């Protein structure tokens, strides 16, 4: 299914609720956001309906969130959207969907972090609690949380294409950060719970600092460096150093190197998505460009550190 095969409207959302969760169907319904995998429709002031619309993998990711996030959310120091109800596929809508709590705030790609110290401490507190050993049956990341070397072959053509297109301001400095990261020793600790996708569109801000974390579709277990990359992809200049001080687990040099490598991968992906948006291509998001380019600038300042 693609986004052109079914139109999601407030009327459809209400019909789905009437069929499966009629006690919620009388609430006001309005569009909240159209994300990469899902659409989010506000359901009153404190809930939202989350429906897959543009990617075939979204169904599995929604079910994963529904299974695991209610177990992880208690104790997290930032609000997250906790699934409360599950909607099963039906004739009206042939995919699963969920009802979650609504987290107020603006995505950081549109309202960037400006208060570096406060945001660094909030991010560190959040990841300190989240990064605990995961059980053996925890989900495996699609391409997150494993050895960074597994991305080395795919990195080269994407990096080359970005450099040739002028999408990277200092290609050689970016290459240096990546090479330091991909040659660092692998994680040899326990598999920890990871958010897996901490880029600017998946965190919320208010008054210049973090106020929520959303979209746990890539929730998995693995190397914490995958999430620690957020110190460079989300925080202003100087925030990464404050984050490292505030983060509640020991971080060795190899893990910091890998985290910068994960940050390069994430920023590079966002640069391509932003470029597609600037050219009017499907799936493109122009607002992802400024935070991605800023992240690459911060990362190149760390080359050799």
């Amino acid at each position: 299914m693609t986004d052109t095969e079914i139109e999601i409207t407030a009327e459809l959302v209400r019909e789905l609720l009437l069929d499966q969760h009629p006690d919620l169907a009388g609430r006001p319904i309005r569009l909240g956001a159209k994300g990469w995998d899902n659409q989010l429709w506000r359901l009153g002031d404190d809930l939202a309906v989350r429906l897959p619309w543009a990617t075939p993998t979204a169904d599995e990711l929604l079910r994963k969130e529904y299974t695991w996030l209610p177990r992880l959310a208690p104790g997290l120091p930032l609000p997250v959207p906790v699934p409360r109800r599950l909607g099963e596929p039906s004739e009206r809508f042939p995919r699963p969907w969920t009802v979650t709590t609504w987290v107020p705030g603006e995505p950081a790609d549109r309202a960037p972090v400006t208060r570096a110290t406060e945001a660094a401490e909030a991010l560190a507190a959040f990841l300190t609690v989240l990064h605990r050993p995961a059980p053996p049956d925890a989900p495996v990341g699609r391409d997150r949380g494993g050895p960074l070397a597994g991305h080395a072959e795919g990195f080269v053509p994407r990096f080359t294409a970005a450099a040739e297109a002028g999408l990277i301001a200092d290609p050689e400095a970016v290459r240096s950060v990546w090479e330091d990261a991909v040659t660092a020793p692998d994680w040899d600790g326990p598999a920890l719970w990871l958010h897996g996708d901490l880029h600017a569109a998946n965190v919320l801000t208010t008054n210049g600092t973090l106020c929520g974390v959303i979209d746990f579709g890539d929730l998995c277990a693995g190397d914490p460096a995958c999430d620690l990359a957020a110190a460079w992809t989300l925080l202003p200049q100087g925030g990464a150093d404050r984050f490292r001080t505030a983060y509640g687990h020991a971080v060795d040099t190899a893990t910091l190197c890998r985290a910068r490598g994960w940050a390069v991968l994430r920023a590079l992906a966002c640069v391509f998505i932003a470029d597609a948006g600037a050219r009017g291509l499907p799936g493109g998001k122009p607002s992802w460009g400024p935070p991605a380019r800023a992240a690459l600038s911060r990362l190149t300042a760390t080359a050799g550190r």
Side-chain angles (χ1 to χ4, degrees), residues 3 36 273 276-277 279-285:
D3 58 349
W36 187 264
I273 292 168
R279 292 186 286 133
L281 299 177
K285 296 181 181 294

Side-chain angles (χ1 to χ4, degrees), residues 39 42 45 80 82 95 131 144 147 161-162 171 182-183 190 195 215 225 245 247 264 266 290-291 295-296:
Q39 289 191 23
R42 297 287 305 272
D45 293 329
V80 301
V82 183
R95 308 183 70 172
H131 287 171
R144 323 289 166 95
V182 79
T183 56
H195 178 280
D215 197 344
T245 301
Y247 181 62
V264 166
R266 189 154 294 136
L296 290 174

Side-chain angles (χ1 to χ4, degrees), residues 92-179:
R92 283 192 172 91
F93 190 74
R95 308 183 70 172
W97 47 278
T98 58
V99 177
T100 75
T101 55
W102 172 258
V103 181
E106 288 294 320
D109 61 317
R110 298 201 294 267
V113 171
T114 56
R115 293 161 57 193
T117 298
E118 292 89 340
E121 292 174 352
L123 179 64
F126 178 82
L127 291 181
T128 296
V129 175
L130 178 64
H131 287 171
R132 56 188 186 267
D137 59 340
V140 176
R142 293 182 291 177
D143 58 357
R144 323 289 166 95
L148 191 61
H151 295 267
E153 183 177 352
F155 174 82
V156 174
R158 291 181 64 79
F159 170 80
T160 301
E164 291 177 349
L167 301 179
I168 303 175
D170 191 344
E172 289 310 309
V174 172
R175 187 197 301 273
S176 176
V177 174
W178 170 255
E179 289 178 350

